[in-house]
Amino acid sequence: MSMKKLLMISFSLTSLLFSFLYIIPTTTTLLTSSKIPILPLESNQNHNSTLPCFAYLISASKGDVGKLKRLLRSLYHRRNHYLIHLDLEAPEEEHLEMARFVAGEPMFQIEGNVMMVGKPNLVTYRGPTMLATTLHAMALLLRCCRWDWFINLSASDYPLVTQDDLIYAFSELPRDLNFIQHTSRLGWKMNKRGRPIIIDPGLYSLNKSEIWWVIKQRSLPTSFKLFTGSAWTILSRPFSEYCIIGYDNLPRTLLLYYTNFVSSPEGYFQTLICNSDEFRNTTVNHDLHYIAWDNPPKQHPKTLGTRDYRKMVMSNRPFARKFKSNDPVLNRIDRELLRNKRKRGSKPEPGPGPGARRLKNLLLRLMLRRNFVKKQCR
Ligand SMILES: *[C@@H]1O[C@H](CO)[C@@H](O)[C@H](O)[C@H]1NC(C)=O
Ligand SMILES: *[C@@H]1O[C@H](CO)[C@@H](O)[C@H](O)[C@H]1NC(C)=O
Ligand SMILES: *[C@@H]1O[C@H](CO)[C@@H](O)[C@H](O)[C@H]1NC(C)=O
Ligand SMILES: *[C@@H]1O[C@H](CO)[C@@H](O)[C@H](O)[C@H]1NC(C)=O
């Protein structure tokens, strides 16, 4: 049996909840890769440890393994959980290299908190397969682990604060907050996103191809209001459960609607949370990412470099994107922002480093009434 097969996780869009998650086995436990304990699907709102923890999905494509390893090292903290999705398109050697890396890091093995999606998707840029991958990861992480917030990153992202800083800065926030940058002013997206109909062959074909455009266009929805925004979000556990379990039918209805929508990751969570009476008041209108755009904006954000360092730090944001592999600015970030890392094996005692203070300033500003309540779902 190939290693890939052993790491299989059953996946289908319609049975998100019935997937099993396997820990990446070490070389010696390869044949007995154990299923990790499945937690009851219930909210951990009442779990009252003062320190929160985070569940990360890190998505990577073909050729990203180098970036992925570096990102994982810089993000690692024993309290958190990490799920890696390496596109099915990446060659088998890359999947194996990543699996070996995860299995070879003693720290990851002790905590068992770094996992790989064993049966990954073909992810189509701008297609619903991106969203399917995110929802799959949320379902797996809800099922396996206790955490407070779900964070979605790509291999081109990088942190600007240590995980201790992040944990400390978030520790005084209500655990039900969702960081989702959004607006209902669709602008050019009304015609370029709201009306076109697309099909993503990645949902049913093993061959990678671009999305298909249907010639006919559709009208804008009238039974719910469309919102759009940044594809980078930090979602609370209660909202994640709502998305996955869908005890109200809205998450499912919108998922079906967004299947034929261009760039659904920029709209699904935004539209869902703003149309939900239960969750709209938990929305913080910010994505906590430093992302630089050309003026006028092009399709992809600018690649960040040393010239952006000061602005990045001044933004007080915990994450930035996007970076080239081993860009010199990453060394500077490591040295000047992430240096006060915990020593291996030491107690995860979060210390308010300079990063925590910067991030707290941003969070405090976002929680002011004029930035929080006044900017919700408008
Ligand atoms: C959570 O902890 C705080 C501080 O330790 C305490 O004031 C609060 O009552 C606790 N809440 C619950 C639900 O146990
Ligand atoms: C999650 O992160 C990826 C980066 O890998 C991004 O492209 C995607 O749009 C994000 N959002 C969702 C909802 O999938
Ligand atoms: C899909 O990919 C396989 C293997 O690369 C190839 O043999 C096949 O012809 C492709 N099919 C289409 C419809 O492109
Ligand atoms: C949300 O906020 C609005 C306005 O402040 C309030 O009327 C409503 O009851 C709140 N909803 C929930 C579920 O707390």
Side-chain angles (χ1 to χ4, degrees), residues 200-218:
D200 182 353
L203 283 178
Y204 57 86
S205 169
L206 277 175
N207 289 30
K208 190 124 179 170
S209 71
E210 246 306 318
I211 49 176
W212 296 355
W213 297 76
V214 175
I215 294 167
K216 205 170 155 39
Q217 302 224 324
R218 58 179 162 187

Side-chain angles (χ1 to χ4, degrees), residues 45-50:
Q45 267 168 307
N46 301 331
H47 122 232
N48 193 18
S49 115
T50 45

Side-chain angles (χ1 to χ4, degrees), residues 180 182-183 274 283-285 365-366 368-378:
I180 302 183
H182 64 275
T183 177
C274 286
T283 320
V284 182
N285 200 343
R365 192 163 60 74
L366 293 176
L368 295 177
R369 198 180 152 73
R370 70 184 145 88
N371 291 327
F372 181 50
V373 181
K374 294 272 166 127
K375 290 194 176 159
Q376 264 166 356
C377 301
R378 279 158 207 268

